[in-house]
Amino acid sequence: MMKRLAAVVLGLVLACTAGKAAFAADTLADVKKKGVLVAGVKDSLPPFGYVDEKSREIVGYDVDIVKAIAKKLGVRVELKPVTSASRMPQLMEGNIDIIAATMTKNPERAKQIGFSHTYFATGQKFITKKGSVRSLKDLAGKKIGTAKGSTSEQNVKKAIPTATVLSFDDYPQAFLALQQGKVAAVTTDEAILAGILAKAPNKAKFEIPNVQISDEPYGLGMRKDDVKFIAFVNKTLLEMEKSGEARRIFEKWFGPSTAFHLKRNFKFKAD
């Protein structure tokens, strides 16, 4: 009886595992069938993903990238807000089909999910009070704010071991802590910091010093074994590059004359 019960349980586990694998492998067909691509995006992080005050819709660079992919698929987009900490679990649990949420590609994450080609490149820096930081030494032993579940959280701990890292749900909350004097700096990717600072009413009091601690290549996240879907997304990104659509989207959100051009230079990196 016990052997029979164990066999039944094992069979259910294997069936469940097989079902998950099939689900992951069929995302491309499933999205076409249901007519909608569910994308996990940030909703408070300009210019990548945030709620527009007039339309009350989520807009941004990441949003336009994923909309272009949905258009190529011939389906509509459903946007679901995610945080740095929730985006991968949401994907792996099947609640979203793709992550378009300022996510850095790294070996640890690549063990759990699949990534597209790099579609944006930046580097991790800091927002500080103007004139307060000129090197990493100035942040030794200080409190530094960032977002939970981000590579920024890991990088700053390695770069400044003596600092106390305070992790918030998102970067705007971390910046609010800086404004209130609760932290000496906020750290994440330079492009995100620039977007936060651009929207700040008292931005003249703050700056982004030329202190960089990492390179941050962004990728669109998909389920790891989703080979067909990943291939489709990569093909679409390269077609966008060739047609000039990638450049148009980039300039829409970052302008034709920006320092980010030096790093991004409109090239989706096939890696």
Side-chain angles (χ1 to χ4, degrees):
M1 182 68 179
M2 289 299 293
K3 288 184 177 179
R4 184 183 297 176
L5 180 60
V8 170
V9 171
L10 178 60
L12 289 172
V13 170
L14 291 174
C16 183
T17 302
K20 286 184 178 179
F23 174 72
D26 290 341
T27 298
L28 184 62
D30 184 56
V31 166
K32 288 181 177 180
K33 183 178 179 180
K34 67 185 180 182
V36 58
L37 176 66
V38 183
V41 299
K42 298 287 184 69
D43 66 352
S44 59
L45 203 62
F48 291 95
Y50 65 99
V51 178
D52 180 72
E53 293 180 359
K54 293 182 179 179
S55 68
R56 306 310 302 168
E57 295 180 349
I58 303 175
V59 299
Y61 177 81
D62 282 347
V63 174
D64 281 358
I65 292 291
V66 82
K67 280 184 175 180
I69 293 168
K71 183 179 179 181
K72 184 70 175 179
L73 270 168
V75 301
R76 67 181 179 86
V77 175
E78 180 183 335
L79 303 175
K80 284 195 173 182
V82 294
T83 64
S84 295
S86 73
R87 57 195 170 187
M88 284 178 57
Q90 287 290 311
L91 177 71
M92 291 186 288
E93 289 167 12
N95 297 325
I96 57 177
D97 301 312
I98 191 169
I99 300 170
T102 65
M103 187 161 63
T104 297
K105 300 161 63 170
N106 63 32
E108 290 75 21
R109 287 173 174 168
K111 291 176 183 176
Q112 301 179 68
I113 68 170
F115 280 106
S116 71
H117 297 327
T118 298
Y119 72 99
F120 191 90
T122 184
Q124 185 172 338
K125 291 189 174 182
F126 303 84
I127 292 180
T128 63
K129 287 187 177 180
K130 198 165 274 187
S132 65
V133 172
R134 289 291 174 264
S135 71
L136 286 182
K137 291 180 181 180
D138 296 322
L139 290 169
K142 301 291 180 62
K143 293 179 180 178
I144 300 174
T146 190
K148 296 175 185 174
S150 64
T151 53
S152 302
E153 187 179 38
Q154 302 163 23
N155 292 340
V156 72
K157 288 178 181 178
K158 293 177 183 177
I160 316 173
T162 60
T164 299
V165 179
L166 302 183
S167 299
F168 298 84
D169 287 335
D170 56 36
Y171 295 112
Q173 287 184 27
F175 182 61
L176 178 60
L178 175 62
Q179 292 173 299
Q180 294 173 339
K182 295 178 181 178
V183 297
V186 173
T187 187
T188 186
D189 308 335
E190 182 182 10
I192 294 174
L193 295 176
I196 292 171
L197 204 53
K199 294 281 186 177
N202 56 348
K203 58 186 175 184
K205 295 181 180 179
F206 302 94
E207 65 180 352
I208 302 173
N210 189 26
V211 178
Q212 182 168 318
I213 61 174
S214 71
D215 293 320
E216 304 295 322
Y218 291 173
L220 300 170
M222 290 157 278
R223 283 176 279 275
K224 190 168 180 61
D225 298 323
D226 224 340
V227 180
K228 291 182 181 179
F229 189 40
I230 293 171
F232 175 85
V233 168
N234 281 337
K235 185 172 181 285
T236 301
L237 290 175
L238 295 177
E239 287 174 353
M240 290 168 63
E241 191 72 54
K242 188 175 181 179
S243 70
E245 185 174 9
R247 180 171 186 144
R248 288 192 292 273
I249 292 174
F250 183 84
E251 292 193 344
K252 172 183 175 181
W253 296 103
F254 294 96
S257 298
T258 169
F260 297 125
H261 284 192
L262 299 175
K263 293 179 180 178
R264 171 62 176 79
N265 71 27
F266 317 113
K267 299 294 183 184
F268 289 137
K269 186 180 178 185
D271 46 8

